[in-house]
Amino acid sequence: MCAQLWTGHQARAIDQLSIERYGVDGLSLMEEAGRAVFHKILLLRRPFQEIAILVGPGNNGGDALVAARLLVEAALSPLVYSVMDPSSQESPARKIQRQRYEALGLSLKTYRNAEDFAVWSPSLMVVDGLLGLGVKAPLRPGAIAYALEAAATQRPQCVLAIDLPSGLDPDRWDIDAILPATHTLSFGAFKPVHLFGHPGNCGELSVSQLAFHPAAIAESLNEGPQLRERDASLEKPWSKLASDAHKYSRGHVLIIGGSPGKVGALLLSARAALRAGAGWVSCAPLSLELAPPLHPAFTYEGWALERGLTAEKLIGFIRERRVKSLLIGPGTMQNPCSRDLLAALAAYAQQEKLFIVFDAGALRDWDTLTQGLCFDPKQTLLTPHPGEWKAIASQHQDLNSLSALDAAWAFCARKGVSLCYKSSRPLTLSSMDGKEQLRVNTTGDNRLAKAGSGDVLAGVALAFGAAGLAADAAAYLAQEIVANAAVRASERFGLHGLSPEDLSDEIGTCLDRY
């Protein structure tokens, strides 16, 4: 499945264009959204569970009022609160839905202070229809913020957020919800905050498509970045490998790294590359701690120690041994690459097809060392975690908002690289042919929070580069393979007992699915 994500701007544009340009009735969309909320409430509600619905002044509140009306018509009796500052104006659509609700002979309770929620049962379900997409975080003080704080104090058993928990920004994920949701029903598609933010903010996620006009969707998504979750449209590793392939067909990969005390990282990457399908794995250690024999299938290269890591020796080896993919950095704290070496790699990659992965210490001061150089984004991958991202360039910030992603895309375009940002929600960014792309993998979890997992990931991506995949595809699919390998390995070693070697043992089996 390939799931498109919508930024907040895209979501608002799709709604607006559907109504204003393509003739979709706005109230009908609201009725459809409210009905989806109504059905979600029925699905989540336990027998005899009370329901409180918090209604904001905008169209999110209108959606909530539709759900409230349908609940009343279904012989349920929700507590419905209007939450808005005296100076606020209700939206025209919200006003119509309020009048339809009042036509049933009912009226909304006006939220005044926290005492209004003191009557709630501990088992109550709360429906958050206060803001949805209609806010830029952080939330300012006022009736809505106070109501959210009061509701959170009651510790409701179930909280259903309409589109997203009120107070969150769809395009930022660096803040927490005042009233975290146990369930969130999004409209049209997930937004970045749903997937990139802390899972405790939005809870269990679901989507209701709604009848947005297809042309409005296509037009809005053509503007701005392409965001995807679980992209199944990518070419699969080794799908074009001939039945009579040999080791050079699969690809000779070279791994350079392993500073004193950290030689294990080099071997983890090498083992992962072999399990991921590479035909020949060569290791060039940077420490005397690593000496033959390494592994029966690995080739040991001592030239990086004997003469240092020079451009002449590296390029000569790559050319002579027909290396398809190069990984530099696992197990290093300082950058082993000189400016001359990086310039030679960039020049060679312009003439020959060479897939390059820069990892760990090889990322330090990378921006400065590559000033004036440009690589091929389809053939060059950087694999930083948040700390290493900042080590690449001092001005780099955590990728915790769409604006921060914009800066990362600009970096990718300027340097000619793709980026694998290793975090609890790994992101793969690329900027090719003037189009910004992002893929997020949500299959991983904290069982991968072990030293060495990143070395395995780099080795798998290295092998996929040898298979002919573009850098962004190689990184994304490597993330998925490693996450699936962790699930399989935990069946033997438990959720918290995994080691990086265990991941490598499962990579081949997971790869067979592709």
Side-chain angles (χ1 to χ4, degrees):
M1 180 183 72
C2 176
Q4 183 80 48
L5 308 181
W6 296 355
T7 68
H9 174 76
Q10 289 169 336
R12 287 185 282 267
I14 288 167
D15 186 75
Q16 183 178 359
L17 287 174
S18 292
I19 295 169
E20 297 180 1
R21 183 175 299 177
Y22 296 105
V24 176
D25 182 68
L27 283 176
S28 295
L29 272 179
M30 184 171 284
E31 288 285 334
E32 186 183 5
R35 185 169 295 279
V37 174
F38 165 69
H39 286 300
K40 190 68 176 180
I41 292 171
L42 295 183
L43 183 65
L44 297 174
R45 180 179 178 267
R46 297 179 178 178
F48 309 109
Q49 186 177 35
E50 289 185 292
I51 304 167
I53 301 181
L54 309 184
V55 180
N59 287 353
N60 196 251
D63 299 337
L65 282 168
V66 173
R69 188 184 76 238
L70 294 173
L71 287 168
V72 171
E73 293 172 350
L76 298 173
S77 302
L79 303 170
V80 185
Y81 298 85
S82 176
V83 183
M84 53 192 295
D85 290 307
S87 59
S88 298
Q89 295 288 327
E90 66 178 346
S91 71
R94 195 261 202 192
K95 180 178 180 180
I96 292 172
Q97 298 299 352
R98 173 177 57 80
Q99 292 170 339
R100 290 178 178 178
Y101 179 80
E102 292 171 343
L104 300 176
L106 302 168
S107 60
L108 280 65
K109 302 176 185 294
T110 300
Y111 173 78
R112 297 163 300 175
N113 54 51
E115 292 299 318
D116 293 333
F117 295 164
V119 298
W120 287 1
S121 162
S123 63
L124 184 99
M125 174 192 291
V126 176
V127 179
D128 174 4
L130 292 174
L131 291 173
L133 299 179
V135 68
K136 287 290 185 182
L139 186 61
R140 292 176 295 181
I144 290 178
Y146 302 145
L148 289 168
E149 292 170 354
T153 300
Q154 298 299 315
R155 300 183 181 276
Q157 190 175 82
C158 178
V159 177
L160 172 61
I162 300 177
D163 223 350
L164 75 160
S166 292
L168 294 186
D169 187 314
D171 298 330
R172 285 180 59 180
W173 43 98
D174 58 339
I175 59 173
D176 290 328
I178 299 174
L179 178 63
T182 59
H183 300 79
T184 296
L185 176 63
S186 182
F187 298 133
F190 291 137
K191 315 308 183 294
V193 70
H194 290 140
L195 300 182
F196 306 160
H198 191 285
N201 284 329
C202 297
E204 183 180 303
L205 299 168
S206 56
V207 174
S208 180
Q209 299 297 332
L210 303 189
F212 297 114
H213 197 281
I217 295 175
E219 182 176 337
S220 299
L221 296 185
N222 191 50
E223 298 293 329
Q226 300 294 305
L227 313 183
R228 293 184 176 88
E229 180 208 9
R230 298 189 61 76
D231 194 342
S233 65
L234 296 171
E235 179 185 332
K236 306 308 179 186
W238 312 113
S239 60
K240 297 180 180 179
L241 187 68
S243 58
D244 60 348
H246 46 75
K247 64 183 179 183
Y248 284 111
S249 302
R250 284 190 172 275
H252 182 190
V253 304
L254 171 63
I255 305 173
I256 302 172
S259 297
K262 298 181 181 298
V263 296
L266 178 68
L267 296 179
L268 287 172
S269 294
R271 188 179 186 192
L274 190 67
R275 293 293 190 190
W280 179 8
V281 180
S282 289
C283 298
L286 300 174
S287 169
L288 289 170
E289 295 174 22
L290 193 59
L294 307 176
H295 184 286
F298 300 162
T299 302
Y300 176 89
E301 300 295 336
W303 45 262
L305 283 171
E306 297 165 4
R307 304 181 187 178
L309 186 58
T310 65
E312 179 183 4
K313 189 64 179 177
L314 176 58
I315 297 302
F317 181 86
I318 290 171
R319 181 178 286 113
E320 179 185 348
R321 302 293 182 89
R322 297 157 60 183
V323 172
K324 278 189 175 182
S325 289
L326 168 66
L327 167 60
I328 304 180
T332 59
M333 297 296 290
Q334 301 301 318
N335 199 327
C337 302
S338 66
R339 161 76 183 189
D340 289 345
L341 185 144
L342 291 167
L345 280 176
Y348 180 84
Q350 294 291 332
Q351 303 169 9
E352 306 290 342
K353 192 173 183 181
L354 176 66
F355 190 92
I356 311 172
V357 182
F358 293 97
D359 183 51
L363 298 170
R364 186 168 295 277
D365 297 324
W366 197 88
D367 187 37
T368 300
L369 289 168
T370 58
Q371 286 294 324
L373 303 180
C374 189
F375 292 81
D376 180 353
K378 294 182 180 180
Q379 294 289 307
T380 312
L381 178 66
L382 277 56
T383 59
H385 57 56
E388 290 166 344
W389 172 240
K390 294 176 182 177
I392 290 173
S394 59
Q395 69 269 27
H396 284 174
Q397 302 297 316
D398 288 336
L399 300 188
N400 55 19
S401 68
L402 194 60
S403 60
L405 293 182
D406 286 338
W409 277 312
F411 171 84
C412 289
R414 177 168 55 88
K415 292 294 186 178
V417 300
S418 294
L419 183 69
C420 173
Y421 187 73
K422 298 179 293 190
S423 65
S424 58
R425 289 287 188 268
L427 309 178
T428 304
L429 297 88
S430 61
S431 182
M432 303 181 194
D433 303 320
K435 199 63 181 176
E436 298 161 340
Q437 300 232 18
L438 178 143
R439 297 177 176 90
V440 57
N441 192 299
T442 58
T443 54
D445 55 32
N446 59 12
R447 76 188 83 193
L448 287 168
K450 297 284 189 74
S453 296
D455 302 313
V456 172
L457 176 65
V460 176
L462 180 72
F464 290 171
L469 270 62
D472 57 344
Y476 173 82
L477 291 172
Q479 292 165 9
E480 184 162 300
I481 291 288
V482 171
N484 290 337
V487 172
R488 288 183 60 91
S490 64
E491 294 173 359
R492 292 188 292 150
F493 301 105
L495 182 65
H496 304 294
L498 295 183
S499 71
E501 294 94 336
D502 303 329
L503 297 178
S504 293
D505 287 345
E506 299 293 344
I507 285 171
T509 303
C510 294
L511 187 56
D512 286 346
R513 301 177 185 178
Y514 293 83

